[in-house]
Amino acid sequence: MNKMNAVVLLSGNGSNFKNIQDRVKDGFLNMKISAVISDNEKAYGLQIARKENIKTYALKNKINDDLNNVLNKINADLIILAGYMKILPPDIVDKYFGKILNIHPSLLPKYKGMNTHQRVIEDKESFHGATVHFVTKNLDGGPLILQQKIKVDDKDTVETLKEKVHHAEYSIYPLAIKWYTDGFLEQCENYFLFKGAKIESPIQDISNIK
Ligand code: GRF
């Protein structure tokens, strides 16, 4: 099978990107990250990409026009959002529907949007986590794929939750990407199949799934 051509969009640290790139290098993921694109020229993730000899693009003034041009040039099979803080414009979402993945730091559909760790603490939730989903025009509301739960302790702070959630993200994001690149995720109108079965709710128990 030909290697898929993926691009990563990020705005900040890029630790998820780094983790995904490590999984490309260790052979877990059969794809190539051909570019890293950021709306923030100072994003640390861009520095990581340069060290990895991956082409970088810092979007300038007309961010979405620039993004469209770069994506047209790259012809990506998969667009991986990894901490990209801008909302993608509807034309890009429509054009690449079914090819854009995002990871969100909550157990979607709970806690869409920002400051998820803080809100989870305020609401005294027992569980928190991370979710990989396809991107639609509905913010953090696209079809869910894979989720990992973490237990919230009384002593947890925003910082400890952030660390625990990141840890969960490093395991589920590469796995969901692998399902995509291996052809296990198929689009059927506006929903998705995993290994031929409709995903009714996000997959949580990954212990038996390779
Ligand atoms: C992650 O928590 C992810 O869920 C959210 O943005 C954060 C990015 O972190 N979408 P990093 O830049 O990959 O460290």
Side-chain angles (χ1 to χ4, degrees):
M1 205 196 291
N2 276 345
K3 277 193 182 175
M4 280 202 183
N5 177 24
V7 298
V8 173
L9 270 64
L10 53 77
S11 303
N13 274 337
S15 73
N16 274 283
F17 153 57
K18 173 75 171 69
N19 176 59
I20 293 163
Q21 170 65 0
D22 285 346
R23 302 312 315 265
V24 171
K25 287 198 291 189
D26 73 16
F28 179 74
L29 290 169
N30 182 31
M31 66 175 201
K32 176 180 167 28
I33 298 178
S34 59
V36 172
I37 306 172
S38 182
D39 60 313
N40 169 16
E41 62 181 2
K42 300 211 168 89
Y44 185 63
L46 288 177
Q47 291 189 36
I48 301 173
R50 286 182 203 114
K51 271 191 210 138
E52 297 286 328
N53 290 317
I54 296 172
K55 197 158 177 41
T56 59
Y57 296 88
L59 305 171
K60 294 279 157 52
N61 302 330
K62 291 195 167 170
I63 285 184
N64 288 331
D65 290 349
D66 255 17
L67 179 60
N68 213 353
N69 292 337
V70 174
L71 290 176
N72 281 338
K73 199 154 68 182
I74 294 171
N75 193 20
D77 301 302
L78 172 62
I79 299 171
I80 298 169
L81 305 189
Y84 186 64
M85 300 309 285
K86 288 272 184 309
I87 295 173
L88 290 180
D91 54 329
I92 291 185
V93 174
D94 281 345
K95 184 169 172 191
Y96 296 97
F97 176 65
K99 290 184 174 185
I100 313 176
L101 295 178
N102 183 39
I103 188 146
H104 183 76
S106 80
L107 296 172
L108 289 174
K110 289 178 116 177
Y111 301 103
K112 294 175 182 174
M114 306 286 285
N115 303 323
T116 59
H117 311 311
Q118 181 66 44
R119 286 151 64 205
V120 160
I121 291 172
E122 281 165 9
D123 291 351
K124 299 190 174 14
E125 292 278 4
S126 306
F127 293 98
H128 187 27
T131 307
V132 183
H133 66 95
F134 285 103
V135 171
T136 63
K137 283 176 267 193
N138 188 354
L139 185 67
D140 298 327
L144 308 179
I145 304 167
L146 176 61
Q147 214 162 52
Q148 187 159 317
K149 260 188 186 179
I150 58 161
K151 179 98 186 68
V152 181
D153 299 327
D154 293 346
K155 292 196 185 107
D156 270 321
T157 62
V158 168
E159 280 311 308
T160 61
L161 282 186
K162 190 173 164 189
E163 196 182 323
K164 286 185 190 176
V165 167
H166 260 117
H167 194 72
E169 292 179 343
Y170 300 152
S171 91
I172 61 171
Y173 213 3
L175 183 59
I177 292 169
K178 185 175 171 57
W179 290 349
Y180 183 92
T181 58
D182 287 358
F184 294 161
L185 293 169
E186 278 171 87
Q187 186 188 335
C188 197
E189 295 166 6
N190 59 349
Y191 62 89
F192 288 84
L193 311 174
F194 172 68
K195 293 189 173 177
K198 183 175 179 181
I199 306 176
E200 302 279 3
S201 54
I203 298 161
Q204 284 196 341
D205 180 5
I206 54 176
S207 50
N208 293 318
I209 298 174
K210 292 250 157 43

